[in-house]
Amino acid sequence: MAMDWNYYDTFITVAPDCSAERGIIPPEKKSGRTKPSIEYDLVANNPYKYTQEELLFQTHVLHKEIPQEELEAREAELRAEFFSKPTACLRASMLPKKYGWGLHFDSQGRLALVPRETAEYDRLAGGGEPGVKVLAAMRSSRK
């Protein structure tokens, strides 16, 4: 059986050392799209569509600019290859670590962004949703 990489009924708060006081849209770089900007676009434009596993893989495909034809022909192989290597979970994403976004996963493991400055963020982070586990994103520094 394949390993399940997803979170369910979970809220990931911003990292304790995140300096962003509100949700910030991650910038692009001149050299191309960054992983945080791809993650942001996918989730902001499709709330509760992607699971962590789907988001990680889709971000990889877009970041590596894998052509659609190749993806259609080799998706299972590309997915197996991607998940065969150690992959950081979304607690290590720059969205909650640097850019001020909480990540809410529903009972089916699909996620949405919750900006740090909102009442919804405060409610979820404060344990105001019964049955939802609250985890902090990983710190950027090792202190």
Side-chain angles (χ1 to χ4, degrees), residues 5-21:
W5 290 70
N6 300 312
Y7 287 104
Y8 300 91
D9 292 319
T10 302
F11 184 63
I12 297 175
T13 65
V14 298
D17 60 351
C18 175
S19 62
E21 293 180 16

Side-chain angles (χ1 to χ4, degrees), residues 69-90:
E69 307 78 51
E70 183 180 354
L71 183 62
E72 287 171 9
R74 301 180 47 229
E75 183 170 358
E77 181 186 340
L78 291 168
R79 189 177 285 270
E81 190 178 295
F82 175 72
F83 285 108
S84 70
K85 300 177 191 118
T87 303
C89 74
L90 290 175

Side-chain angles (χ1 to χ4, degrees), residues 2-128:
M3 184 175 160
D4 186 343
W5 290 70
N6 300 312
Y7 287 104
Y8 300 91
D9 292 319
T10 302
F11 184 63
I12 297 175
T13 65
V14 298
D17 60 351
C18 175
S19 62
E21 293 180 16
R22 57 188 310 111
I24 299 168
I25 298 172
E28 302 278 329
K29 285 203 167 129
K30 287 183 180 146
S31 59
R33 299 192 67 195
T34 63
K35 283 186 180 182
S37 72
I38 294 168
E39 288 175 353
Y40 173 82
D41 284 347
L42 288 171
V43 181
N45 294 318
N46 303 283
Y48 298 110
K49 175 181 178 182
Y50 295 101
T51 63
Q52 171 174 258
E53 195 171 298
E54 291 163 345
L55 181 66
L56 292 171
F57 182 68
Q58 201 55 39
T59 299
H60 167 73
V61 166
L62 293 170
H63 191 250
K64 296 295 182 195
E65 299 178 345
I66 297 171
Q68 187 62 35
E69 307 78 51
E70 183 180 354
L71 183 62
E72 287 171 9
R74 301 180 47 229
E75 183 170 358
E77 181 186 340
L78 291 168
R79 189 177 285 270
E81 190 178 295
F82 175 72
F83 285 108
S84 70
K85 300 177 191 118
T87 303
C89 74
L90 290 175
R91 286 183 59 213
S93 164
M94 286 294 136
L95 295 177
K97 282 177 68 170
K98 181 176 181 181
Y99 294 109
W101 297 97
L103 306 176
H104 179 244
F105 295 86
D106 67 12
S107 62
Q108 295 176 329
R110 299 171 310 198
L111 78 141
L113 298 173
V114 183
R116 180 180 206 165
E117 71 276 12
T118 63
E120 178 71 355
Y121 179 94
D122 291 342
R123 186 179 70 78
L124 288 164

